[in-house]
Amino acid sequence: NPQGPSSQQIGYGPSENDWDVYLETLLHQHKKEEALEALKGIPCSPMTHVIGDDDSGGNGADTSVLPQIHDEHTIENHIGSVLPYTQRKKLERLSEIALELGKCEESARGYRELLRAFPDQWTYWMGLVDSLVLLGTPRELVCGTETKRAVNRDGWNSCRAFAKEVIASLAERKGGRSLRGPYLVLIELEAVKVLAESGCTVVALREEICSYGDRFGPLASCCFADIRPYLRLLVQSTVGVDGADGIPDEVSELLVWAKNIWMENSQANTDAGNGQVSAEELRERRKKLRAYIFAVQVVYCVTADLGVGCTTLQLYSPSIPQMTSEWRTSLTFLPGVAPKDGGQKEILPGDEIILLITQYLQYQTSCESQQPKTHNLIAAAALLEQAMDHSPYNPHLKIAAIGVYSQLHAAHRALSIYNDLGVKQIQLDSCSYLILPLLVRGGLYTSAIELSSSILRLHGSTSKDVKDYASKSFQNGYLLKAKEMVTFQREKMRPSLQLLHSKGIVMDCAALMNASDLNGGLASKEPRSNVPAVKLGEVRGLCGGEGDLAKAEKLITDSESHFNAPSIIHDAARTTSLRDFAFSDNRDMTMNYFEILYQNRRLTEKEMMSESLMRGHIHGMLVRAVMLSGVAKAPKKGKVPKCSEEMTYRYLSLVDALERLNQFSKGHDIEINDLEMELLELLCALCQAIATIVVGKDDDSMAEREKAVVSIIESGTKILGSVRDSFKSFAYNTIDDQSGTMVCQLLPDRVVPTYILIETTTTLFALFGWGKRKRKTKPAAAALAELALSFRDLLSDLMHATSLFRAFGDENNSTDVELLIKNALDSIIDRQADVAATHCEDHASVRRAINEVSVSRSMTTDRVDPFLVEMWENLGSFDETE
């Protein structure tokens, strides 16, 4: 037909989407045998083989099923997909289902065919090992510590022989590059044997690791990532084995092998040749640099797993000045081209060395038996600043810098680096953990609210988008795509742990928001004298003032939406234990791959849940206390006011919230330090006092009610005395900067809620005739004054801690900046070998890092002190001497 086939002539068989729906239906009904038979009969498009036989069809492939697409109308006028099932996907599903049914030989045949076409696909190799070696038994059962049993030896030999066959086939191809998969599975086979068989030595495992490293260390920057789990297995399998210097012989041989590699490939003293480097020589230098980095990574990994301290590093790894020199040499003969000059936004090959150096410095700091050496962290920050100047598009340098500045408690500089990463959209849910806790510990509450609010908006918009796109998928016949979207929203986004954490931070920091810091205002680095005055609750949040009732009512209204921060009150109300809460941790931890020797401290899933739900419980209690005080009535003629239905409802709601909080805080899966627990008890005591004032007990008198309230308030005063002792003990046993970060953490979590409840209680006391001026005639007024002044003393202790936090120095709190610079420079350079120009650059970068830390800490105290001072001054009204 010269005009092309008519719509009646165009016929399409079931598409990939249609078959997937049918197969999913069978699998949902547990009809795996039927699904397997259905799969075998599916006609599919051909799969081009790379190695092996020349048959490009195989196992049911049929070129006649390929769709005839003439123009866009063919797609637009067809409901659903026109794409047929692919041979690759068919074999994948056949192999998976056959393995689940225990048909290991059939599964292995499928994986072999897939590997002949895609020999570098690691999941296929793992599937082949599961089929032939483990015979479909879950690895945790085969390789468990109490259920070790021998692997299937015939299958093990067959899998190894097939890997060798693939390697030989690849070697015969002209111009073919080495693929890592077939070689890596040889290590996997030895690892399975070590895990599964008791008494199996690690000699063969070590030999395969070394062989793999020799082959791919100079070729692939991901070589270390490939063997990292096997290095850990090797070290763990030799625990308790004697050896020289306390290191097992096999591990020692591995370390010697790695040391020889980096020594042979060092280029620190290589002449750059004035930039005249041939392409071939450039390739060789890149290979040597990769091998050098790979070898040092191996030493770091083994050292970290051995846990033997810095001694092993000094024996087997290059020194920090040596690595610094290696990095500088790489800058001379491996130059990068800036994007403005026509280059790409690429990273420099020597950047990994800087990451290794900073790991060494952080590890040294953590190994100090006494207080950590600040100059090591300053040196790490200085090197990272230099490296970011040379390679501004390397995200891992920035992530490492955030970690170092976090240890130096320089939140502002860390935030600036995080903003340079350009985290957007869904990355907010996976990457915000890098900076969000630090913003709270660093007193940058407004920035914490802004970032958390962007996460809340992301989840709100995603929920809406999923509904729209899933509906369109249904309309267009893509049923499984719609299911994938709904499942993603239901199982990943809605129960996101980052969403819960962000809600808690917004609620906690709301009263501490600084309007001048909104929309990038924090980037100005204003001097202390120019920071605009700010008051508690000025922008949003409860503050203990007259407008709290209206704010509390709005919080209750806003809490009805799952993607609003106040909804955490309902999340907490439904939870009395962490086991009650289902969550999805969407944080991407793989971006920290470079943390080999030292791993930065990050919140665990349990800590995130515990902190967030505790905030939900506290704010739920706080809102209910304000709501109850808002309906309180003054006594008439010395008689207690009658309790209305609304008053009773709010009273019971507050009592229930107190009970849930008490049950949650005492759960065995909740970890709270003594200081936080005592402040939590104080909050509960103040809420009990509010409930007793407003409602009291049946048929009680004003005198009885006042006596009960006095007893509660006096118990709170005793708790405050214990709180002050706990804080002084903490401050005495830690360095000053840690006391400062504790203040930043306590301020939104405990201090502000306590102040709000004291002010709310004060207002109620005045309503009942127990105002501040009657402290000499009314026991309740005297008890509250004593508690308020005790809390004021605690605020003085906190302000003293923040003043020390500002005074940045070394580990001895020395403010001699030049001495700190000298100590930092001694950590990273060889003064005899390095040239004067290098000294100047290092000196400038160290001074820059010190300045960044000093400015950041000043900005922290500038944003924390005003709130502490405001509360301290307001509580001065309880002091008769003022």
Side-chain angles (χ1 to χ4, degrees):
N1 186 351
Q3 297 181 349
S6 64
S7 59
Q8 289 80 11
Q9 291 174 305
I10 300 178
Y12 298 99
S15 67
E16 179 183 23
N17 179 76
D18 300 330
W19 281 114
D20 280 337
V21 172
Y22 175 59
L23 292 171
E24 286 298 321
T25 303
L26 291 175
L27 293 174
H28 187 73
Q29 297 172 350
H30 306 289
K31 298 178 180 179
K32 293 184 180 180
E33 288 283 1
E34 293 184 30
L36 189 63
E37 292 303 317
L39 265 170
K40 293 177 181 178
I42 295 177
C44 52
S45 59
M47 177 175 66
T48 302
H49 285 215
V50 176
I51 60 174
D53 55 44
D54 296 328
D55 177 17
S56 62
N59 200 10
D62 183 5
T63 57
S64 65
V65 302
L66 294 175
Q68 297 180 0
I69 302 176
H70 298 277
D71 51 34
E72 66 272 15
H73 298 292
T74 306
I75 303 297
E76 294 174 354
N77 296 331
H78 183 81
I79 300 299
S81 173
V82 299
L83 299 178
Y85 223 77
T86 64
Q87 176 73 353
R88 182 176 185 177
K89 184 172 182 179
K90 176 180 177 178
L91 286 172
E92 287 176 350
R93 302 210 69 178
L94 275 170
S95 301
E96 291 170 1
I97 296 175
L99 186 59
E100 292 174 5
L101 290 171
K103 299 182 179 182
C104 298
E105 285 298 328
E106 186 173 350
S107 175
R109 282 196 300 272
Y111 281 122
R112 280 196 184 99
E113 188 169 351
L114 285 165
L115 285 166
R116 288 192 178 97
F118 308 99
D120 209 31
Q121 182 64 40
W122 182 240
T123 55
Y124 298 160
W125 284 112
M126 294 297 286
L128 185 64
V129 173
D130 289 342
S131 302
L132 292 178
V133 183
L134 305 181
L135 300 178
T137 306
R139 287 172 179 253
E140 60 270 17
L141 297 180
V142 175
C143 305
T145 55
E146 299 179 357
T147 57
K148 287 181 179 289
R149 50 181 148 173
V151 298
N152 178 21
R153 178 59 64 177
D154 292 337
W156 191 92
N157 291 330
S158 175
C159 191
R160 181 178 176 82
F162 179 74
K164 295 284 188 180
E165 174 191 332
V166 172
I167 291 172
S169 299
L170 290 170
E172 292 174 359
R173 295 171 54 212
K174 294 181 180 180
R177 60 186 179 87
S178 296
L179 299 179
R180 307 193 322 276
Y183 293 92
L184 189 59
V185 80
L186 297 177
I187 305 179
E188 172 67 18
L189 289 170
E190 296 297 340
V192 169
K193 193 162 61 171
V194 169
L195 281 168
E197 297 181 0
S198 300
C200 181
T201 66
V202 296
V203 176
L205 177 61
R206 177 185 58 78
E207 290 175 349
E208 289 292 352
I209 289 174
C210 293
S211 175
Y212 187 86
D214 289 335
R215 178 178 294 274
F216 293 104
L219 301 178
S221 57
C222 57
C223 180
F224 169 72
D226 292 341
I227 67 170
R228 188 173 185 175
Y230 305 113
L231 292 172
R232 182 164 299 165
L233 171 62
L234 189 148
V235 174
Q236 292 174 349
S237 300
T238 55
V239 173
V241 179
D242 294 332
D245 299 323
I247 301 176
D249 291 339
E250 293 301 326
V251 177
S252 181
E253 288 189 32
L254 187 71
L255 288 169
V256 171
W257 165 75
K259 181 178 181 179
N260 290 335
I261 291 178
W262 69 256
M263 290 182 68
E264 292 169 2
N265 290 277
S266 175
Q267 304 175 86
N269 299 319
T270 303
D271 183 12
N274 297 321
Q276 301 299 321
V277 181
S278 65
E280 181 62 29
E281 186 179 357
L282 182 61
R283 282 194 294 270
E284 287 302 316
R285 287 183 169 179
R286 283 182 179 271
K287 286 183 179 180
K288 291 172 76 71
L289 182 60
R290 290 194 195 102
Y292 180 92
I293 292 169
F294 164 76
V296 178
Q297 289 173 327
V298 170
V299 175
Y300 279 15
C301 182
V302 173
T303 301
D305 290 334
L306 282 174
V308 291
C310 295
T311 305
T312 304
L313 284 179
Q314 295 169 355
L315 288 173
Y316 295 103
S317 75
S319 66
I320 292 176
Q322 284 176 315
M323 286 190 284
T324 304
S325 178
E326 193 76 28
W327 171 65
R328 295 196 189 284
T329 303
S330 73
L331 293 177
T332 61
F333 64 75
L334 295 174
V337 181
K340 63 182 180 180
D341 299 326
Q344 299 296 318
K345 293 184 178 181
E346 296 176 350
I347 63 177
L348 297 180
D351 290 347
E352 288 286 343
I353 298 178
I354 291 295
L355 296 175
L356 293 170
I357 296 172
T358 57
Q359 283 277 290
Y360 200 143
L361 289 166
Q362 289 177 289
Y363 187 71
Q364 278 186 330
T365 302
S366 68
C367 289
E368 296 293 340
S369 58
Q370 299 177 351
Q371 293 178 333
K373 303 297 182 183
T374 306
H375 65 265
N376 282 339
L377 297 176
I378 289 293
L383 283 175
L384 286 166
E385 293 285 2
Q386 285 189 58
M388 287 188 291
D389 289 341
H390 288 287
S391 184
Y393 300 106
N394 189 331
H396 297 109
L397 289 176
K398 296 176 182 179
I399 294 171
I402 291 172
V404 171
Y405 278 116
S406 176
Q407 288 183 269
L408 289 167
H409 311 291
H412 178 264
R413 178 54 183 155
L415 176 61
S416 300
I417 297 171
Y418 174 83
N419 290 334
D420 289 341
L421 282 171
V423 175
K424 298 176 182 178
Q425 299 300 323
I426 196 65
Q427 294 173 334
L428 289 168
D429 207 41
S430 59
C431 303
S432 58
Y433 74 92
L434 294 170
I435 192 66
L436 198 49
L438 176 59
L439 295 179
V440 178
R441 296 198 308 270
L444 305 184
Y445 305 118
T446 305
S447 298
I449 291 174
E450 284 189 298
L451 180 55
S452 298
S453 298
S454 65
I455 295 174
L456 298 183
R457 289 193 297 271
L458 164 72
H459 282 271
S461 62
T462 301
S463 177
K464 179 180 179 298
D465 292 342
V466 164
K467 295 172 186 175
D468 295 339
Y469 290 125
S471 176
K472 291 180 181 178
S473 294
F474 279 124
Q475 293 172 5
N476 293 327
Y478 294 95
L479 305 183
L480 280 188
K481 291 300 177 185
K483 178 179 178 293
E484 289 175 8
M485 294 181 199
V486 173
T487 302
F488 173 75
Q489 174 62 26
R490 184 181 298 157
E491 297 181 1
K492 284 290 185 181
M493 297 300 286
R494 188 173 180 87
S496 168
L497 190 55
Q498 288 66 37
L499 173 63
L500 179 74
H501 194 228
S502 298
K503 292 179 185 178
I505 288 177
V506 171
M507 292 297 293
D508 244 20
C509 301
L512 302 170
M513 179 177 283
N514 189 332
S516 63
D517 288 343
L518 290 171
N519 301 319
L522 193 65
S524 60
K525 296 186 181 180
E526 295 169 324
R528 186 178 187 183
S529 59
N530 294 334
V531 176
V534 61
K535 292 186 177 180
L536 193 69
E538 185 176 39
V539 181
R540 63 173 69 168
L542 304 177
C543 60
E546 296 180 357
D548 276 7
L549 180 60
K551 292 180 180 179
E553 291 173 346
K554 188 177 188 307
L555 287 173
I556 295 299
T557 302
D558 292 342
S559 67
E560 296 305 317
S561 173
H562 179 72
F563 302 108
N564 286 342
S567 67
I568 197 173
I569 294 174
H570 295 311
D571 294 332
R574 294 188 289 266
T575 308
T576 56
S577 170
L578 295 185
R579 295 188 299 271
D580 299 337
F581 191 80
F583 68 92
S584 172
D585 188 355
N586 300 331
R587 293 178 294 176
D588 181 9
M589 295 298 185
T590 60
M591 66 178 70
N592 306 304
Y593 77 91
F594 58 86
E595 294 183 353
I596 306 168
L597 191 60
Y598 176 84
Q599 294 187 349
N600 284 293
R601 172 77 172 87
R602 294 186 176 89
L603 293 177
T604 64
E605 295 175 349
K606 182 178 177 180
E607 288 172 334
M608 288 182 70
M609 282 193 294
S610 177
E611 284 186 11
S612 303
L613 293 174
M614 180 62 74
R615 288 164 175 161
H617 279 292
I618 290 175
H619 286 281
M621 179 180 67
L622 201 60
V623 167
R624 290 177 173 91
V626 172
M627 294 286 286
L628 177 60
S629 65
V631 296
K633 297 179 180 178
K636 294 182 180 180
K637 299 181 181 180
K639 296 182 179 180
V640 295
K642 292 184 179 180
C643 191
S644 66
E645 185 177 344
E646 179 70 14
M647 194 182 298
T648 301
Y649 176 81
R650 296 188 180 187
Y651 166 79
L652 293 175
S653 179
L654 176 58
V655 170
D656 289 343
L658 284 170
E659 184 177 348
R660 286 193 298 269
L661 175 57
N662 183 59
Q663 186 177 353
F664 180 79
S665 62
K666 294 181 179 179
H668 68 277
D669 49 359
I670 303 297
E671 297 179 3
I672 306 177
N673 62 47
D674 293 340
L675 181 59
E676 292 176 335
M677 191 65 194
E678 289 164 349
L679 284 169
L680 186 64
E681 292 173 356
L682 176 60
L683 289 172
C684 293
L686 289 169
C687 285
Q688 289 174 348
I690 291 173
T692 303
I693 296 169
V694 178
V695 177
K697 296 182 179 180
D698 295 338
D699 300 325
D700 63 345
S701 63
M702 284 293 295
E704 291 172 336
R705 189 170 295 190
E706 183 180 10
K707 183 179 180 181
V709 169
V710 168
S711 176
I712 296 172
I713 295 295
E714 288 177 346
S715 67
T717 304
K718 291 180 181 179
I719 293 173
L720 265 174
S722 179
V723 168
R724 291 193 65 196
D725 292 340
S726 296
F727 182 76
K728 289 178 180 178
S729 175
F730 174 83
Y732 178 79
N733 293 315
T734 59
I735 56 180
D736 294 330
D737 50 11
Q738 291 179 344
S739 299
T741 57
M742 173 62 81
V743 174
C744 295
Q745 187 78 44
L746 287 176
L747 181 60
D749 279 353
R750 300 289 192 272
V751 175
V752 170
T754 302
Y755 173 78
I756 292 170
L757 290 176
I758 289 176
E759 290 294 325
T760 303
T761 306
T762 302
T763 302
L764 283 175
F765 273 30
L767 182 67
F768 275 66
W770 307 333
K772 298 176 184 178
R773 296 181 180 180
K774 297 184 179 181
R775 68 191 68 174
K776 293 184 178 180
T777 58
K778 295 293 182 179
L784 184 60
E786 185 180 359
L787 182 144
L789 292 176
S790 180
F791 183 68
R792 192 181 189 224
D793 292 336
L794 174 63
L795 293 176
S796 298
D797 297 337
L798 300 182
M799 287 188 286
H800 177 67
T802 58
S803 67
L804 296 177
F805 179 75
R806 184 189 294 271
F808 169 68
D810 61 12
E811 61 276 4
N812 298 317
N813 292 324
S814 170
T815 55
D816 188 344
V817 175
E818 293 304 322
L819 177 61
L820 189 59
I821 293 174
K822 177 183 179 299
N823 292 336
L825 288 173
D826 289 342
S827 299
I828 59 177
I829 65 173
D830 183 348
R831 293 184 181 272
Q832 295 180 351
D834 291 347
V835 297
T838 300
H839 288 177
C840 293
E841 183 179 1
D842 287 330
H843 189 280
S845 64
V846 169
R847 185 175 292 278
R848 173 184 173 186
I850 292 174
N851 181 64
E852 290 288 0
V853 175
S854 299
V855 170
S856 294
R857 291 192 177 190
S858 294
M859 296 184 76
T860 292
T861 51
D862 288 345
R863 280 149 182 81
V864 172
D865 283 349
F867 299 112
L868 294 172
V869 171
E870 178 190 356
M871 291 186 286
W872 186 87
E873 290 177 347
N874 291 343
L875 292 174
S877 60
F878 286 93
D879 191 350
E880 292 179 327
T881 62
E882 295 187 6

